[in-house]
Amino acid sequence: MNFKNKNVLITGASRGIGKATAIAFAEKGASVGINYRSNTEEAEKTLVELTGEEHRLFQYDVSKKEDTKALVEDFVAHYGQLDVLVNNAGISIFHKIDEVDFDHWTNAWEDTFKTNLFAVSNMCYWGAKAMMKTGGGNIVNISSRGAFRGEPTKPAYGASKAALNAMSQSLAKALAPHKIYIGVVAPGFTETEMAAVTLTPAERENLLRESPFKRMAQPKEVAHAVLFLASEGAAYSSGTIIDVNGASYLRS
Ligand SMILES: NC(=O)c1ccc[n+]([C@@H]2O[C@H](COP(=O)([O-])OP(=O)(O)OC[C@H]3O[C@@H](n4cnc5c(N)ncnc54)[C@H](OP(=O)(O)O)[C@@H]3O)[C@@H](O)[C@H]2O)c1
């Protein structure tokens, strides 16, 4: 796969899966825009790890709808056009129904949907508008295994990712005439900060037993699927959801 002369914007790319994806695109020749929300120190560390010179940081909070417009405008003003958009930024909040009060419950649903679904739909809107002006592009949205198998301790997370899948497939149909192709990657547990903070040692032990690989995914294994869906030969795979979960949850 070759991304030479391609301009790639990745949300939530200062660490974890987004960072591994930024590194992988840069290794294949792309110019990468690293979006992050707050941790500038971490984002700057990521920037210097990328191969090549044409990469840049974009600090915007994609859960704010005005920031999604400003982010895409800023990116296009700098690079001239947007070829690949990866909607990776996501959050995960515990809200076990038999443990939390109603305020916690409603806040968890609202905050989760703002980042995991509305931010993605808004980024798809502005990203697609930019791509329509230049003849097309690729969008890859990061979902989760939780969309399919349920998330009992964070149901809003599972629901937001299931909605992201449905939205992505609807947009794959709507945007194909514009030569804009949309893919989804649904990782299982992956060795990132999100997984580290959300797992108790007992849960970690359990989940290692779930996969016949007896390990979690590495961020670069998720990045590999993202690059495939963003590559030129993958146009006819638009609307696809690729599982990267080590055969821990096999759906028919
Ligand atoms: N890790 C897993 O086990 C796993 C499994 C399945 C799916 N996923 C999905 O994969 C994606 C990445 O997960 P991860 O584990 O790599 O996450 P992570 O390590 O927690 O990193 C999250 C990244 O998103 C950024 N971010 C969060 N909210 C943002 C916002 N509103 N605007 C802009 N940037 C924002 C963070 O930047 P700041 O630090 O500056 O806030 C950070 O760069 C998520 O969509 C997640 O749901 C992860």
Side-chain angles (χ1 to χ4, degrees):
M1 287 180 282
N2 184 358
F3 290 92
K4 208 162 179 343
N5 301 321
K6 296 285 184 192
N7 301 318
V8 178
L9 173 59
I10 306 170
T11 68
S14 58
R15 60 172 197 251
I17 291 169
K19 174 180 177 172
T21 305
I23 289 171
F25 272 114
E27 278 170 358
K28 300 287 180 191
S31 301
V32 182
I34 296 170
N35 160 250
Y36 68 104
R37 179 183 45 186
S38 53
N39 193 340
T40 302
E41 201 184 324
E42 197 72 20
E44 281 172 348
K45 275 198 249 159
T46 297
L47 185 64
V48 298
E49 284 186 46
L50 302 196
T51 311
E53 304 293 321
E54 298 302 319
H55 318 298
R56 192 169 183 268
L57 299 182
F58 293 87
Q59 183 178 13
Y60 290 93
D61 180 346
V62 294
S63 70
K64 295 181 177 160
K65 63 181 173 189
E66 61 279 10
D67 274 29
T68 57
K69 180 171 189 276
L71 169 56
V72 174
E73 281 177 355
D74 192 3
F75 183 92
V76 171
H78 185 77
Y79 287 110
Q81 73 178 61
L82 173 62
D83 299 303
V84 176
L85 168 64
V86 181
N87 288 305
N88 165 76
I91 58 169
S92 153
I93 303 169
F94 276 103
H95 52 287
K96 202 161 172 277
I97 193 164
D98 51 358
E99 288 179 6
V100 299
D101 65 22
F102 188 59
D103 276 350
H104 185 127
W105 177 260
T106 54
N107 288 338
W109 278 85
E110 283 168 21
D111 291 346
T112 302
F113 267 69
K114 262 190 207 164
T115 300
N116 293 8
L117 183 67
F118 302 149
V120 181
S121 82
N122 295 336
M123 285 300 296
C124 284
Y125 181 88
W126 293 116
K129 290 279 171 191
M131 289 172 182
M132 281 175 204
K133 290 182 187 153
T134 54
N138 292 71
I139 299 176
V140 183
N141 295 331
I142 306 300
S143 180
S144 170
R145 175 183 63 174
F148 302 105
R149 66 163 204 173
E151 290 283 3
T153 60
K154 32 185 188 163
Y157 181 80
S160 69
K161 296 298 191 178
L164 177 148
N165 294 347
M167 178 189 71
S168 303
Q169 292 183 321
S170 299
L171 292 182
K173 285 180 179 277
L175 291 172
H178 299 279
K179 296 190 167 55
I180 299 170
Y181 311 115
I182 305 207
V184 175
V185 178
F189 271 115
T190 307
E191 290 280 5
T192 71
E193 207 163 296
M194 178 188 278
V197 295
T198 57
L199 286 176
T200 65
E203 284 168 335
R204 194 180 177 83
E205 215 25 62
N206 272 341
L207 80 89
L208 291 180
R209 273 197 285 270
E210 286 174 355
S211 164
F213 290 75
K214 303 288 178 227
R215 65 171 178 84
M216 295 167 83
Q218 291 302 312
K220 69 178 179 191
E221 294 175 298
V222 181
H224 190 68
V226 175
L227 263 66
F228 165 71
L229 288 172
S231 65
E232 268 180 31
Y236 210 66
S237 299
S238 193
T240 298
I241 302 172
I242 298 184
D243 296 309
V244 183
N245 68 34
S248 62
Y249 186 78
L250 298 174
R251 58 197 170 89
S252 49

